[in-house]
Amino acid sequence: RTVKATSGRQIFQPLHTLRNAEKELLPGFHQFEWQPALKNVSTAWDVGIIDGLSGWTASVDDVPADTISRRFRYDVALVSALKDLEEDIMDGLRERGLDDSMCTSGFTVVVKESCDGMGDVSEKHGSGPAVPEKAVRFSFTIMSISIRLEGEDDGITIFQEQKPNSELSCRPLCLMFVDESDHETLTAILGPVVAERKAMMESRLIISVGGLLRSFRFFFRGTGYDEKMVREMEGLEASGSTYICTLCDSTRAEASHNMVLHSITRSHEENLERYEIWRTNPFSESADELRDRVKGVSAKPFMETQPTLDALHCDIGNATEFYKIFQDEIGEVYLKNNPSREERRRWRSTLDKQLRKKMKLKPVMRMNGNYARRLMTREAVEAVCELVPSEERREALQKLMDLYLQMKPVWRSTCPARDCPDQLCQYSYNSQQFADLLSTMLKYRYDGKITNYLHKTLAHVPEIVERDGSIGAWASEGNESGNKLFRRFRKMNARQSKTFELEDVLKHHWLYTSKYLQ
């Protein structure tokens, strides 16, 4: 209520009413221990908001370093999130007919991690040029909690996050004013987070839930990253590289000729091994041979991410591509060779006008999720077809969009086997047809090249769904929505002071994600 009034108007009340309640909702209130104790992590449990640059202050020069980052200690934050779910855990045990006094160990918690850079969070202070400031946010979502009983093989799920992509379930762990491309500062701040996470994977957490001590182990899955961030974390070359994919070793040219048949081969371990080869060049090869041997790994992988596809950015990437296809089809590029800039600009404004008239879609500077959702529809393609002269090209465009709309639910849905079983079964067939259309009708665009996300959409979706059960549930969307909250809290609910603003935002944002308050 302190953030959104039911009337839809925004009201901002100071959180006095929360002053006492909030202490037990914020990390650092509940006692816990790890067995064995976490390596290189303090055993103190009453740790609240800490400086994200713990100990590095002297070596960061551009900014007064104690103001650029605030975070919770990862294990303390997880404890707070679990205690927040205490009622859900107890209800889950009861619903499964389990005697809660018997269930004290064997709990497994699966955590989704997301990290995303935000452009332009500039300070609005007085006149003068706007200074571009950038921020990076690292968050986690508790996706499920299950328990394995003695002597049983399968776990029983007692809590499943119903809205894994809502900003209400996505808990902020670390906020920093850093450009996501500034690898040094990013790694300096996330280094301790990675170390804490690594330590937690080798240990069990003991906390009191429902009045009894119970032991939990954690699995972390870094899936909420867009491709830029994955490449940064995993030491791969940037998105324009000939090594087009973060899941397989295919080059752009190979991927454009064989669009569908690839399997996932990359992993964090392999990237680390390849980095060693890149660093040492054991076979004394030339630069090109070496690069081909390590398939584009050219920096040290820093954080483990799951080889998957981010549904939100996949949507955005593919919509960007369709937007360009629409322009090309309006200008009948398949008949011409390299049209001039002027012509292209004209087609683009024609397309924008038409979309605005028929779909009420305002042109955007950068493609975003909402625009992408509205552009990838039958209505949009029909509006575009009114401007395409040739009948058979119109049919092909409609066919292309139909196939895409058959494929999309499979990687958008939280549980495709339940929500769209038919489309799941037909996925490989549809993607093959889609690929055939691209390589015949749109030969002029996909001869020897293809976009990164189209490759993933066509080649890797069935394998990921088979492995994880879903792609949509593991998307970065919750964290992206959290970016809006970050902006809002920073404007409205934070002290105007470099030293305190991030901790106010972090505190507010954490409380906003509390299930108990919701």
Side-chain angles (χ1 to χ4, degrees):
R1 287 261 182 83
T2 56
V3 178
K4 259 198 189 113
T6 31
S7 62
R9 285 208 318 272
Q10 288 185 6
I11 50 170
F12 292 93
Q13 299 158 346
L15 291 179
H16 299 308
T17 43
L18 273 177
R19 278 288 175 264
N20 293 317
E22 77 182 10
K23 292 195 179 57
E24 51 187 286
L25 296 170
L26 286 167
F29 183 83
H30 298 284
Q31 203 170 347
F32 62 88
E33 69 164 317
W34 288 89
Q35 288 177 351
L38 297 184
K39 281 196 196 85
N40 301 330
V41 180
S42 144
T43 52
W45 51 267
D46 51 351
V47 182
I49 293 175
I50 55 180
D51 181 358
L53 266 179
S54 33
W56 285 83
T57 30
S59 58
V60 177
D61 40 337
D62 307 341
V63 271
D66 54 347
T67 63
I68 71 168
S69 172
R70 290 286 177 273
R71 70 182 188 94
F72 295 117
R73 210 174 77 200
Y74 206 159
D75 60 326
V76 183
L78 282 168
V79 167
S80 179
L82 278 181
K83 288 295 281 184
D84 195 48
L85 291 171
E86 189 163 17
E87 291 175 15
D88 300 70
I89 295 173
M90 301 313 288
D91 291 348
L93 287 171
R94 269 195 299 280
E95 279 161 23
R96 293 299 185 148
L98 300 169
D99 173 7
D100 79 85
S101 60
M102 303 299 289
C103 304
T104 52
S105 63
F107 287 93
T108 300
V109 182
V110 181
V111 177
K112 163 166 90 174
E113 297 179 318
S114 312
C115 183
D116 176 41
M118 303 167 59
D120 179 44
V121 288
S122 50
E123 272 296 306
K124 306 277 181 289
H125 275 313
S127 57
V131 279
E133 280 190 52
K134 300 202 185 293
V136 174
R137 301 179 52 256
F138 185 95
S139 321
F140 68 89
T141 306
I142 292 189
M143 295 291 282
S144 68
I145 303 173
S146 58
I147 181 167
R148 214 169 97 220
L149 303 171
E150 308 263 321
E152 298 278 326
D153 286 345
D154 294 339
I156 303 170
T157 303
I158 55 172
F159 167 77
Q160 183 99 39
E161 176 52 63
Q162 290 310 302
K163 295 188 172 164
N165 288 321
S166 155
E167 71 268 33
L168 294 171
S169 58
C170 183
R171 298 177 167 275
L173 181 72
C174 177
L175 306 178
M176 46 199 144
F177 286 126
V178 177
D179 184 341
E180 63 178 319
S181 314
D182 172 2
H183 192 71
E184 290 68 27
T185 317
L186 189 66
T187 47
I189 294 174
L190 287 178
V193 174
V194 175
E196 285 156 18
R197 165 194 205 235
K198 189 164 179 242
M200 288 189 285
M201 288 160 76
E202 290 152 18
S203 180
R204 285 157 194 263
L205 169 71
I206 314 288
I207 51 169
S208 145
V209 174
L212 287 176
L213 289 177
R214 305 177 197 267
S215 89
F216 293 81
R217 40 189 321 197
F218 291 89
F219 287 100
F220 298 96
R221 305 199 53 220
T223 59
Y225 303 101
D226 58 13
E227 179 159 334
K228 184 177 173 189
M229 188 66 86
V230 168
R231 287 174 175 273
E232 171 126 340
M233 300 270 193
E234 289 280 15
L236 301 164
E237 293 169 359
S239 308
S241 161
T242 54
Y243 296 99
I244 175 179
C245 188
T246 54
L247 296 97
C248 69
D249 293 343
S250 172
T251 62
R252 200 171 291 279
E254 287 164 17
S256 75
H257 294 305
N258 160 19
M259 289 189 186
V260 182
L261 303 167
H262 295 273
S263 56
I264 299 174
T265 55
R266 289 191 192 266
S267 69
H268 187 64
E269 280 66 45
E270 182 190 57
N271 290 340
L272 283 165
E273 287 161 20
R274 283 178 165 174
Y275 170 70
E276 277 309 300
I277 292 178
W278 171 258
R279 198 177 62 82
T280 53
N281 193 1
F283 307 105
S284 314
E285 291 162 303
S286 72
D288 288 345
E289 293 170 317
L290 182 60
R291 182 165 167 251
D292 183 55
R293 180 180 290 277
V294 297
K295 305 292 180 203
V297 176
S298 57
K300 183 166 182 173
F302 155 68
M303 182 183 228
E304 180 172 10
T305 64
Q306 282 288 322
T308 178
L309 165 156
D310 182 53
L312 175 71
H313 288 93
C314 184
D315 225 3
I316 291 172
N318 290 340
T320 309
E321 189 57 16
F322 264 79
Y323 183 71
K324 290 177 181 162
I325 292 174
F326 290 160
Q327 290 172 49
D328 287 354
E329 287 302 308
I330 289 171
E332 303 193 87
V333 173
Y334 65 102
L335 302 173
K336 312 180 165 82
N337 42 6
N338 55 13
S340 69
R341 263 251 179 84
E342 268 20 84
E343 286 185 279
R344 286 190 176 280
R345 208 167 285 148
R346 215 168 47 241
W347 304 333
R348 181 173 178 172
S349 74
T350 313
L351 174 61
D352 282 342
K353 272 192 200 123
Q354 178 79 341
L355 289 171
R356 176 172 265 189
K357 193 172 87 185
K358 299 281 181 200
M359 304 277 303
K360 309 217 180 332
L361 253 185
K362 287 201 258 315
V364 283
M365 282 290 287
R366 245 179 87 219
M367 178 70 67
N368 59 47
N370 290 330
Y371 190 97
R373 270 187 279 276
R374 304 209 20 223
L375 183 69
M376 305 309 270
T377 54
R378 292 212 173 79
E379 297 83 65
V381 101
E382 277 159 22
V384 172
C385 283
E386 293 178 16
L387 306 171
V388 174
S390 137
E391 173 65 38
E392 73 176 318
R393 307 292 291 180
R394 284 196 295 248
E395 277 173 20
L397 269 183
Q398 281 168 330
K399 178 93 192 293
L400 202 61
M401 183 62 86
D402 279 343
L403 286 168
Y404 185 79
L405 292 175
Q406 284 295 306
M407 285 150 60
K408 180 172 146 177
V410 176
W411 43 263
R412 254 326 205 174
S413 151
T414 315
C415 176
R418 181 195 64 204
D419 301 338
C420 51
D422 300 350
Q423 280 122 322
L424 180 58
C425 295
Q426 291 171 357
Y427 195 92
S428 300
Y429 174 72
N430 286 338
S431 61
Q432 185 61 61
Q433 285 210 291
F434 190 92
D436 292 344
L437 265 178
L438 291 188
S439 47
T440 51
M441 157 197 161
L442 295 169
K443 184 88 174 129
Y444 64 89
R445 260 195 97 79
Y446 299 102
D447 194 16
K449 53 189 201 295
I450 186 171
T451 63
N452 302 16
Y453 274 114
L454 262 182
H455 158 72
K456 285 183 185 170
T457 312
L458 295 173
H460 295 304
V461 168
E463 187 179 353
I464 303 173
V465 172
E466 194 170 323
R467 183 192 69 192
D468 299 343
S470 167
I471 292 177
W474 297 94
S476 66
E477 202 147 15
N479 194 41
E480 296 275 355
S481 309
N483 290 348
K484 289 201 299 239
L485 289 174
F486 174 90
R487 293 203 156 92
R488 181 206 252 147
F489 289 142
R490 184 162 180 244
K491 241 187 357 226
M492 308 288 201
N493 304 40
R495 286 170 279 187
Q496 281 293 322
S497 127
K498 284 274 189 282
T499 320
F500 293 118
E501 67 170 339
L502 274 182
E503 59 187 79
D504 288 352
V505 173
L506 185 57
K507 175 180 116 171
H508 262 87
H509 199 149
W510 182 272
L511 292 172
Y512 190 85
T513 59
S514 156
K515 286 265 190 282
Y516 179 78
L517 287 179
Q518 288 158 30

